[in-house]
Amino acid sequence: MDKNNWNQILRALSLLTQVGLIIIISGGIGFAFGYFIDYLLNFELLFKLTGLLVGLGAGFYTVYKLLISTFDD
């Protein structure tokens, strides 16, 4: 393999890593905020799920913007 192929492989792996981390971290942050609000208001599951869904939505939106900017080159 030549150097250009390795650069493409490493770029694809870094993009895949970024996508995975963005989804996991944003979902975790949303769940953590929901957990905190549930703790303060003495709810069981309402804000945990809401926070998780909002976090995942924000993560998927960020991944969408990342992929659009990456493949726009």
Side-chain angles (χ1 to χ4, degrees), residues 22-61:
I22 287 171
I23 296 295
I24 290 171
I25 290 172
S26 62
I29 290 172
F31 182 80
F33 279 130
Y35 185 86
F36 180 69
I37 293 171
D38 273 343
Y39 175 75
L40 289 177
L41 300 177
N42 291 326
F43 282 105
E44 288 294 322
L45 194 61
L46 177 67
F47 290 107
K48 290 176 193 170
L49 290 178
T50 305
L52 179 64
L53 291 175
V54 168
L56 288 176
F60 279 113
Y61 178 73

Side-chain angles (χ1 to χ4, degrees), residues 14-30 52 54-70:
S14 70
L15 182 64
L16 183 63
T17 302
Q18 284 178 342
V19 166
L21 286 175
I22 287 171
I23 296 295
I24 290 171
I25 290 172
S26 62
I29 290 172
L52 179 64
V54 168
L56 288 176
F60 279 113
Y61 178 73
T62 305
V63 166
Y64 171 75
K65 297 297 277 186
L66 174 68
L67 292 177
I68 292 298
S69 68
T70 300

